[in-house]
Amino acid sequence: MDNVLDILIDIASTPALLVALIAVLGNVLQKKDLASTVKGGIKTFVGFLVVTAGAGVIEGSLAPFGEMFQVAFNMQGVVPNNEAIVALALTKYGTYTALIMLTGMVFNILIARITRYKYIYLTGHATLYMACMIAVILSVTGMDTIALVVFGGLALGLANTIFPAIAQPFTRQITKNDSVALGHTGNFGYALSGLIGKYVGNKDKSTEDINFPKGLSFLRDSTVSITLTMSVVYVIVALFAGNEYISENLSGGMNYIIYSLQQAGSFAAGVFVILAGVRLILAEIVPAFKGISEKLVPNSIPALDCPIVFPYAPNAVLIGFLTSFVGGIVSLAIMVMTGTTVIIPGVVPHFFCGATAGVYGNATGGVRGAVIGSFIHGIIISFMPILLMPVMGDLGFQGSTFSDTDYGVTGIFLGNLANSGGQLLVIGGILAVLAVLLGLTFFGKKKTATISE
């Protein structure tokens, strides 16, 4: 039994394999021929591996940048890291996490079936991380195993339905259709960025329409502009960190300026690879998903990882990352001055979440929306972990916390319920959220599956 569970968890937490199987299932339900079914599954599988490889290249180039930044400016504090806290928590809550994850995926499908919110969350690793956080929080309420798995799974299913729905009005503006949704753990922040862009930006002045002087027209190529911009950023931080530290600890003896330029180029290469992989995935998964929509969950929409929106506004990706990171630095300065817990800007969350926030801000408010929306987003993912830390700290995870906004919203909600009233209040809160979704479905006047509308 344990071996079967382990296999199911491995499949569910491996996005490339999970989404490939979904593509195969969709083609089978559409009764496509064997060749088309196999091709769709393989191309989706490879596409996700391409995206994963690109993300790995980016994370590899950002890791030394984070170290250089801390050394350059002598910063010490908590660095929010999803992988680190999950790895720590799984040693104690691994079984609960696995069962909540599988139960949550079932509840996600059931909720999509019976409500007007038709989002099927396909980002396996994000589901695993959210399941882990829920397992940790609910474990202190005194629930027995069955109740913890059932209500933890229901909470996860609700989160994986609600967050794509919150962002969908803005996702639709980016993609120009309803064929795909965003399934990532920063949807609350992305929706907020889109809302900010709507009210403070100018939609007609997109980041993708930036006019460069004729002699600088080559900057319109996103690969070129990303490489040059990141080269400047890396070199500036490297100058403050110093050649001695970088040569001895990071570059293996390579000159610190050359090393910085190499890492900047690797960053741009990672973005290029991600964009290529996303195009490959979307070309296969969206048509294949029609089979699931027609047979299992009518009108269902696949919710995929945040890089799916990157090809729509590559300039906004870079602008969003940089301004979100600046928001993190400003937040750090405020924390130092006010004497609170210091959250060191995590370069990886500021890239993936900040870049995505930039795309959403740009969709509704152009350049100004991308800049302001991402900057505010950077501040939010800096201060929200401070609010989440007491919830995790009481459970023995002092010094660690989750970074993205959806973890913060879900964790603070469930954690405060758990600390205030124990399991009864937690169960009541989860059921109340479900009742709201059912009420909006059965008594709402509109049938469009977006919470914001």
Side-chain angles (χ1 to χ4, degrees), residues 219 243 263 275 289 390-391:
L219 292 175
N243 185 35
Q263 295 305 311
L275 298 181
F289 211 78
V391 176

Short mmCIF file of all heavy atoms in Angstrom, two decimals, residues 219 243 263 275 289 390-391:
data_model
loop_
_atom_site.label_atom_id
_atom_site.label_comp_id
_atom_site.label_asym_id
_atom_site.label_seq_id
_atom_site.Cartn_x
_atom_site.Cartn_y
_atom_site.Cartn_z
N LEU A 219 17.47 46.47 -28.64
CA LEU A 219 16.98 46.21 -27.30
C LEU A 219 15.54 45.68 -27.30
O LEU A 219 15.06 45.20 -26.26
CB LEU A 219 17.06 47.47 -26.44
CG LEU A 219 18.48 47.96 -26.09
CD1 LEU A 219 18.42 49.28 -25.35
CD2 LEU A 219 19.23 46.91 -25.29
N ASN A 243 36.05 41.00 -5.36
CA ASN A 243 36.65 39.90 -6.12
C ASN A 243 37.07 38.75 -5.22
O ASN A 243 36.92 37.57 -5.56
CB ASN A 243 37.85 40.42 -6.92
CG ASN A 243 38.45 39.36 -7.82
OD1 ASN A 243 37.72 38.52 -8.35
ND2 ASN A 243 39.76 39.38 -7.99
N GLN A 263 26.91 34.65 -15.36
CA GLN A 263 25.65 34.37 -14.67
C GLN A 263 24.49 35.16 -15.27
O GLN A 263 23.37 34.66 -15.37
CB GLN A 263 25.80 34.68 -13.18
CG GLN A 263 26.80 33.81 -12.45
CD GLN A 263 26.51 32.33 -12.62
OE1 GLN A 263 25.37 31.89 -12.43
NE2 GLN A 263 27.53 31.56 -12.97
N LEU A 275 10.48 30.22 -22.29
CA LEU A 275 9.54 30.69 -23.30
C LEU A 275 9.31 29.63 -24.37
O LEU A 275 8.17 29.42 -24.82
CB LEU A 275 10.05 31.99 -23.94
CG LEU A 275 10.21 33.19 -22.99
CD1 LEU A 275 10.71 34.41 -23.76
CD2 LEU A 275 8.92 33.51 -22.28
N PHE A 289 -7.13 19.16 -23.49
CA PHE A 289 -7.97 19.35 -22.31
C PHE A 289 -9.46 19.40 -22.67
O PHE A 289 -10.32 19.24 -21.80
CB PHE A 289 -7.58 20.63 -21.57
CG PHE A 289 -7.80 20.56 -20.09
CD1 PHE A 289 -6.90 19.88 -19.29
CD2 PHE A 289 -8.89 21.15 -19.49
CE1 PHE A 289 -7.08 19.79 -17.92
CE2 PHE A 289 -9.08 21.07 -18.12
CZ PHE A 289 -8.18 20.38 -17.33
N PRO A 390 4.66 33.43 12.85
CA PRO A 390 4.16 32.95 14.14
C PRO A 390 3.39 31.64 14.03
O PRO A 390 3.46 30.80 14.92
CB PRO A 390 3.25 34.09 14.62
CG PRO A 390 3.77 35.30 13.93
CD PRO A 390 4.24 34.82 12.59
N VAL A 391 2.66 31.46 12.94
CA VAL A 391 1.91 30.22 12.73
C VAL A 391 2.86 29.05 12.59
O VAL A 391 2.69 27.99 13.19
CB VAL A 391 1.02 30.33 11.47
CG1 VAL A 391 0.32 29.01 11.19
CG2 VAL A 391 0.00 31.44 11.64
#
